[in-house]
Amino acid sequence: MYKLGILVSGGGTNLQAIIDAIENGYLEDTQISVVISSNSKAYAIERCKKHNINCVVVSKKQFPEQADFENKIIETLKENNIDLVILAGFMTILSSNFINTFKGRILNIHPSLLPKFGGKGYYGIIVHQKVLEAQEKVTGATVHFVTDEIDTGPIILQKSIPVLPNDTPETLQKRVMEECEWKIYPEAIKKVLHEL
Ligand code: GRF
């Protein structure tokens, strides 16, 4: 059985897409061993309760020092013997110590066609604002391995959609999530697990 450790901070719709992919059999021999939320109010926690998934809150409030915060997460992931670390809307930039601990086994999803519109400051709705400002004709999402530099690790999968003339950052964000992110995250996980 492959074991996933999923890190979240917010709504958890990508977490939900992974839960669904396990429940409907698309992700075979796979379980979510632990979800770690850095935010005690994240809706992602409710999703775990509904699906009986082990969920732990590790917050900056409990661990103000980044090293302590990360060590607690590392300890929790190790206790759960995870094979892959899945960042799904996790709002903290991780140190090289963390990344080296799970070298080559951390995946992230980003709501643009990397290398475009990635890096420091490019997160959430800002990414879609920048895409519209640049008058891009296509956008999409990328699943990639996490390395020391933000949003530049090897790409696992990408999916693109057209930018429509009347798009706002909000409509674009919604379509990128529904049509790209929720599809490619389970696909990328399947691909990586098969290569382990
Ligand atoms: C997604 O847009 C993802 O690409 C980005 O953060 C957002 C998380 O959304 N990294 P959710 O919590 O999965 O709904």
Side-chain angles (χ1 to χ4, degrees):
M1 190 66 109
Y2 297 118
K3 295 182 170 162
L4 307 179
I6 305 190
L7 273 50
V8 298
S9 304
T13 63
N14 281 288
L15 165 67
Q16 187 67 52
I18 299 164
I19 295 173
D20 293 345
I22 291 174
E23 290 188 353
N24 71 25
Y26 175 77
L27 283 175
E28 291 168 296
D29 284 329
T30 306
Q31 69 177 48
I32 300 173
S33 296
V34 65
V35 170
I36 300 175
S37 175
S38 65
N39 169 5
S40 62
K41 298 195 172 67
Y43 186 70
I45 298 171
E46 300 306 314
R47 297 181 193 273
C48 292
K49 284 186 189 152
K50 275 187 200 154
H51 294 268
N52 252 319
I53 294 168
N54 176 27
C55 180
V56 181
V57 174
V58 179
S59 69
K60 288 272 176 73
K61 235 186 210 164
Q62 300 163 296
F63 301 97
E65 293 292 328
Q66 179 75 10
D68 299 337
F69 171 73
E70 290 189 3
N71 285 335
K72 183 66 189 172
I73 297 176
I74 293 172
E75 187 189 303
T76 309
L77 291 168
K78 284 190 171 168
E79 276 167 12
N80 284 279
N81 292 315
I82 58 96
D83 296 296
L84 283 186
V85 182
I86 308 294
L87 307 183
F90 187 64
M91 293 306 289
T92 298
I93 293 167
L94 295 161
S95 71
S96 1
N97 174 50
F98 185 98
I99 293 163
N100 288 329
T101 305
F102 300 100
K103 215 176 165 105
R105 294 192 292 139
I106 311 174
L107 273 59
N108 183 43
I109 189 154
H110 184 81
S112 76
L113 295 172
L114 291 173
K116 284 187 166 180
F117 308 102
K120 204 167 165 27
Y122 283 84
Y123 61 89
I125 199 80
I126 299 168
V127 176
H128 306 287
Q129 281 162 357
K130 299 281 182 198
V131 166
L132 289 176
E133 274 167 29
Q135 303 187 327
E136 293 291 307
K137 296 279 177 279
V138 290
T139 187
T142 305
V143 180
H144 64 94
F145 285 107
V146 174
T147 56
D148 271 349
E149 269 190 56
I150 309 173
D151 295 335
T152 57
I155 291 173
I156 301 159
L157 272 184
Q158 288 187 307
K159 185 167 190 277
S160 60
I161 53 165
V163 177
L164 302 177
N166 294 328
D167 263 326
T168 62
E170 290 76 17
T171 60
L172 206 51
Q173 182 177 48
K174 185 166 183 284
R175 289 210 331 287
V176 167
M177 289 184 101
E178 291 175 355
E179 295 174 31
C180 306
E181 295 188 40
W182 303 343
K183 294 204 166 98
I184 62 170
Y185 222 172
E187 283 174 29
I189 292 168
K190 189 169 186 147
K191 192 167 180 235
V192 171
L193 287 177
H194 283 180
E195 285 162 10
L196 274 184

